[in-house]
Amino acid sequence: MDQPVLPLGAPRGERADAVRNRLHLLATAREMLAEQGADRLTMDGLAERAGLGKGTVFRRFGSRAGIFQALLDDDERAFQERVLSGPPPLGPGAAPLERLIAYGRARVGFLVAHREIARAALDGTQPVPAGPETPLSRMHIRMLLGQMGLGAADLDVLTVQLTAALDGPLLLYLSASDLTQAADQADERLAHGWQDLVQRVCRP
Amino acid sequence: MDQPVLPLGAPRGERADAVRNRLHLLATAREMLAEQGADRLTMDGLAERAGLGKGTVFRRFGSRAGIFQALLDDDERAFQERVLSGPPPLGPGAAPLERLIAYGRARVGFLVAHREIARAALDGTQPVPAGPETPLSRMHIRMLLGQMGLGAADLDVLTVQLTAALDGPLLLYLSASDLTQAADQADERLAHGWQDLVQRVCRP
DNA sequence: AATACAACCGGGGTAAAGTCCGCTTATGCT
DNA sequence: AGCATAAGCGGACTTTACCCCGGTTGTATT
C-alpha cells in the first residue's frame, strides 16, 4: 500500500514542536531587533526571552548569522514573489534590460530597508551563499543577461560582478551613517547608478 | 623660542618599544598564518607565542580583524607603489581605460593571492574602510573614471559599484573551493571579465 | 492504544574576543 | 643626570558564540 500523499508536502520535515519553536524564535528575534538593534541580540538573551534553551536556538539556526539569514529570507519571500510572478517591469513580461533595471532598483530598496539584518546575516567565515537568497539574485541576473544576447562575454563572471556591484555597496562599503542620514537619497542614487551601469554594459 | 623641527617628523608617534612589539607581533602572526591558517590564529595564541600580553595585542590592532588588516596593508604597500609610480599600463603614463583594465587585473591577482588574509580582514560589524586599503582602490578607480570623460554618470556611485564588482567576488561570493581548485583559472576569468566590463562601461 | 524510534529540548561547559586598571618604562625637558 | 608625564604593558575578568549529551516528547507503525 502506498503512503498517504498529504504528509509528503513536508517530507519527513520538522516536527510540529520544532516548527512552533522556530516561528516563536523568529518572532521573538524580531521584537528584540526592533527594540534593541541587531548587535544587542545575543543567543542567550533570545533563548531566555523565548523561554527556550540555548541549544534549541542553535539547532534551529546553526549560528548567530543564521538567525538573521532566516529573518532576511522570510522578508525576501514577498520580494521574490514580485520578481517571479508579479507585474512587469519587475515581473515577467517586460524586456530583459528593463527587468534588470527594475530588479536592481527593487533590490537596492530592499537592501537599504533591511541593511541591518542583511549585514548581520553575513558570516565572515563563510561565502555568501549561506542564505538561499543571493543565489536567487544571481540566478535572476544571470537569466536576464542570457536573454539579451550580449557579445562573447563570460556570462558567469559578468553575473557575479554585477551582483557584487549591486549588493557590495550595501553589504561592504557604505557605512551606517552614509545611509541613515539620508537613506532614501542614497537609495535613489544607487538605483539610478545601477540603471546607468547596466545600460552601459548592455548596449550594443 | 620655537620647538626643534626634527621630532615633528613623527609627531608624538609610537614609542620605540611599541614599534618593536608591533613588528614582532606581525611577524609572529605571519608565522602562525603560514603554519596553521587564518582561522586557527587566536589572540591568546598570538600573544603567548610572541611572549607578550593580550592587552598589548589588542591595543596595537584593535580587534582580530585589525591584525589581518595590518598584514594586508603591509602586503599592499608594494602593490600601491607599482600603481602610483610604476611602469605603465599599471602605473601612470597609459590611457585611463588601459590603466583601469590593468588595475583590475592586478588587484584581482592580489586578492586571489591574499584571499585568506583579505577575508579574515573583513570585520562584519564594520564597513570596509576599516583598512586604509580599499579607500585607495576606490580613489584610484574614481580618478581614472574621471579622466575619461564619461557621460553624465554619477561618478561616485559608479565608482563604488565598480569597486564592488572588483572586490565582491573575492570577498563575498566565491567560496574557498571555487578558488583553491583552480586559483589561476579563476584569476584569469575574473581579470578578463573585468576588462570586458569596464570596456563596456566606458565605450562612447 | 501501545510501542519503538528518531528528533528535539535544555542548560551546563568550553574557547576565544574584547575590556580594565594598576604597574612599568620610554621620552622630552631642565 | 634626574624628573614628570604620558604611553605602553600584562593578565585577570567579562561576555558571548558555539558544543555536547542525557533526558524528554512527538510520530509512525502495529
Side-chain angles (χ1 to χ4, degrees):
Chain A
M1 318 287 171
D2 282 349
Q3 324 266 14
V5 188
L6 259 183
L8 288 199
R12 187 51 59 116
E14 283 173 300
R15 245 163 59 171
D17 52 350
V19 174
R20 207 170 26 245
N21 284 340
R22 182 167 51 78
L23 294 176
H24 182 221
L25 282 169
L26 285 177
T28 308
R30 252 184 232 288
E31 291 174 19
M32 297 179 71
L33 208 50
E35 290 172 18
Q36 315 178 333
D39 30 349
R40 288 189 197 279
L41 178 48
T42 74
M43 305 300 264
D44 293 307
L46 174 59
E48 188 181 4
R49 176 150 171 179
L52 295 170
K54 208 189 327 184
T56 306
V57 180
F58 275 94
R59 181 155 355 78
R60 278 290 80 98
F61 300 107
S63 73
R64 192 185 126 90
I67 290 184
F68 296 100
Q69 284 160 19
L71 289 173
L72 199 62
D73 204 36
D74 201 32
D75 288 348
E76 209 168 23
R77 219 174 303 283
F79 175 64
Q80 294 182 8
E81 205 64 35
R82 286 195 297 145
V83 172
L84 296 178
S85 58
L90 187 56
L97 179 56
E98 280 178 73
R99 285 193 78 189
L100 190 55
I101 292 170
Y103 181 76
R105 173 173 294 275
R107 176 140 182 99
V108 164
F110 178 84
L111 280 180
V112 167
H114 296 79
R115 60 189 177 277
E116 194 179 8
I117 300 181
R119 273 280 179 81
L122 289 184
D123 194 301
T125 75
Q126 215 79 31
V128 152
E133 36 109 11
T134 314
L136 182 109
S137 203
R138 225 149 97 185
M139 273 176 41
H140 191 61
I141 291 177
R142 156 94 214 215
M143 184 197 70
L144 294 176
L145 288 177
Q147 284 180 2
M148 37 190 141
L150 299 182
D154 184 336
L155 222 56
D156 287 317
V157 168
L158 182 60
T159 299
V160 189
Q161 287 172 333
L162 285 183
T163 307
L166 192 51
D167 293 356
L170 277 306
L171 298 183
L172 231 37
Y173 297 115
L174 264 43
S175 71
S177 62
D178 287 339
L179 293 168
T180 45
Q181 68 180 37
D184 31 335
Q185 193 176 326
D187 180 310
E188 183 52 38
R189 285 183 68 186
L190 284 171
H192 197 274
W194 170 259
Q195 172 169 354
D196 189 45
L197 178 64
V198 296
Q199 276 174 342
R200 286 172 179 274
V201 168
C202 298
R203 78 199 138 158
Chain B
M1 325 274 177
D2 281 348
Q3 325 267 14
V5 189
L6 260 183
L8 288 199
R12 190 52 61 116
E14 278 175 304
R15 246 164 58 170
D17 53 348
V19 175
R20 205 168 31 241
N21 284 340
R22 182 167 52 77
L23 295 177
H24 182 220
L25 283 169
L26 286 177
T28 307
R30 250 183 234 288
E31 289 174 20
M32 297 179 71
L33 208 51
E35 290 172 17
Q36 315 178 333
D39 30 350
R40 288 190 197 279
L41 177 49
T42 74
M43 305 301 263
D44 293 291
L46 175 58
E48 188 181 2
R49 175 150 173 179
L52 295 171
K54 203 194 325 192
T56 305
V57 180
F58 274 92
R59 182 156 353 80
R60 279 288 80 101
F61 300 105
S63 73
R64 192 184 126 90
I67 290 184
F68 295 100
Q69 284 160 19
L71 289 174
L72 199 61
D73 205 36
D74 201 31
D75 288 348
E76 208 167 24
R77 217 174 304 282
F79 176 65
Q80 293 182 8
E81 205 65 33
R82 288 195 296 144
V83 172
L84 296 178
S85 57
L90 187 56
L97 179 55
E98 280 178 73
R99 285 193 78 189
L100 191 55
I101 292 171
Y103 181 76
R105 174 173 293 276
R107 176 142 182 96
V108 164
F110 179 84
L111 281 181
V112 168
H114 296 79
R115 60 189 178 278
E116 193 179 9
I117 300 181
R119 271 282 180 82
L122 289 183
D123 194 301
T125 76
Q126 214 79 31
V128 155
E133 37 109 10
T134 314
L136 182 110
S137 202
R138 225 150 96 187
M139 272 175 42
H140 191 62
I141 291 177
R142 156 93 213 217
M143 184 198 70
L144 293 176
L145 287 177
Q147 284 180 0
M148 35 190 142
L150 299 181
D154 184 335
L155 223 56
D156 286 316
V157 168
L158 183 58
T159 299
V160 191
Q161 288 172 332
L162 286 183
T163 307
L166 192 52
D167 294 355
L170 277 305
L171 297 182
L172 230 38
Y173 297 115
L174 264 42
S175 72
S177 62
D178 287 339
L179 294 168
T180 45
Q181 68 180 38
D184 32 333
Q185 194 176 329
D187 180 309
E188 183 52 39
R189 284 183 70 187
L190 284 171
H192 197 273
W194 169 259
Q195 171 169 354
D196 189 47
L197 178 65
V198 297
Q199 276 174 343
R200 285 171 180 276
V201 168
C202 297
R203 77 201 140 158

